Amino acid sequence: MEGSLPLTTFKVLTLNTHKGFTVFNRRFMLHDLREAVRGVGADVVFLQEVLGSHELHSSRQKDWPASPQYEFLADTIWGHYSYGRNAIYPDGHHGNAVLSKFPITSWQNRDVSIAGPERRGLLHCVLKVPQRDLDVHVICAHLGLMEDHRQQQLKLMCQMISQHVPADAPLIIAGDFNDWRVRANRVLDRCGVREAFVEHEGREAKTFPSRFPVLRLDRIYTRNVRTARPMVLSSKPWSHLSDHAALALEISV
């Protein structure tokens, strides 16, 4: 951070969208989800399990959007977005997305799938903060369900950071880490990143299941930024929009 310049503060939000459906796929909630995300006033949104397309759902749901889910959610609020396709199946595909009010100058989706049918990715975007003419690196992550896979994916994440993120650049990593055993911090400490809720509240946030959060699955990690006001969004309407609670955080660069 460049000492004499005033800080620029913005808000980030991360959410596993569960493909726009409630728990057990009982109701399609993407329209309500869009309104809730808008209400937070986030400048950068990290999304996991967002659908790029799904022919079966689109034929059955009368209010299914004509555009991909990430474009529908971005709408007129977030003028820049990027999508990293991870899982492909006969009816369509889903992955991670970043919605941003700041220009996205470059992006890369890295496949970190380890073995078997489970497909995972890391979507790395570079945002340009105009007020500061500053590059901010963001990584939207969705890690595997198996501990061994997650450990390998965390090491691949550290490699990505080492190779593609300058040591002095602002960095934000957010997403669904599926880290119910709370072991990710040991690996990511080596990359110099710190988990925001641990720094402010002493523990990772409980985010799953959204109606009665018990497991600490979703995270926001940062490096070379200031953080404030971490929030878990788990009360209504959020508890009825997805199986994960959302997390929000203020960032200053």
Side-chain angles (χ1 to χ4, degrees), residues 36-240:
V37 172
R38 282 176 171 178
V40 173
D43 300 279
V44 183
V45 181
F46 299 74
L47 302 173
Q48 306 87 52
E49 280 194 35
V50 62
L51 282 170
S53 69
H54 198 289
E55 293 182 9
L56 184 60
H57 289 329
S58 63
S59 66
R60 291 181 174 178
Q61 299 291 334
K62 63 181 181 180
D63 56 350
W64 194 266
S67 57
Q69 286 188 353
Y70 55 91
E71 289 188 24
F72 175 79
L73 290 169
D75 194 36
T76 58
I77 306 297
W78 296 273
H80 311 274
Y81 48 81
S82 184
Y83 170 67
R85 183 170 58 182
N86 295 332
I88 305 171
Y89 28 82
D91 287 320
H93 51 85
H94 74 261
N96 299 331
V98 171
L99 316 180
S100 175
K101 293 181 181 178
F102 305 124
I104 298 175
T105 59
S106 65
W107 67 275
Q108 175 194 20
N109 190 49
R110 179 167 183 179
D111 185 352
V112 291
S113 307
I114 303 302
E118 192 180 66
R119 313 309 300 172
R120 302 295 182 185
L122 301 174
L123 178 60
H124 173 207
C125 301
V126 181
L127 314 181
K128 178 69 72 174
V129 178
Q131 301 94 321
R132 299 289 303 281
D133 190 27
L134 180 68
D135 289 338
V136 175
H137 291 250
V138 302
I139 298 174
C140 186
H142 190 189
L143 303 190
L145 296 172
M146 297 179 61
E147 178 67 30
D148 179 61
H149 289 189
R150 288 195 299 275
Q151 289 297 312
Q152 295 181 64
Q153 289 159 352
L154 288 165
K155 291 175 182 176
L156 290 171
M157 183 186 296
C158 282
Q159 290 177 14
M160 172 188 278
I161 293 169
S162 175
Q163 294 171 6
H164 299 290
V165 181
D168 60 349
L171 170 63
I172 307 161
I173 308 167
D176 177 2
F177 281 71
N178 274 315
D179 182 32
W180 61 274
R181 301 179 75 176
V182 195
R183 294 183 174 180
N185 293 352
R186 302 177 192 174
V187 180
L188 294 179
D189 277 349
R190 303 168 198 161
C191 308
V193 300
R194 299 291 181 266
E195 210 283 324
F197 286 81
V198 173
E199 292 221 303
H200 286 273
E201 300 180 359
R203 289 295 306 272
E204 298 82 356
K206 294 180 180 179
T207 59
F208 186 88
S210 56
R211 296 198 182 191
F212 304 100
V214 176
L215 299 180
R216 305 171 189 273
L217 302 188
D218 301 85
R219 309 283 169 79
I220 304 177
Y221 292 89
T222 67
R223 188 174 77 180
N224 298 327
V225 304
R226 296 183 186 178
T227 61
R229 298 181 177 86
M231 293 179 59
V232 183
L233 305 174
S234 58
S235 59
K236 288 185 178 180
W238 295 97
S239 58
H240 291 68

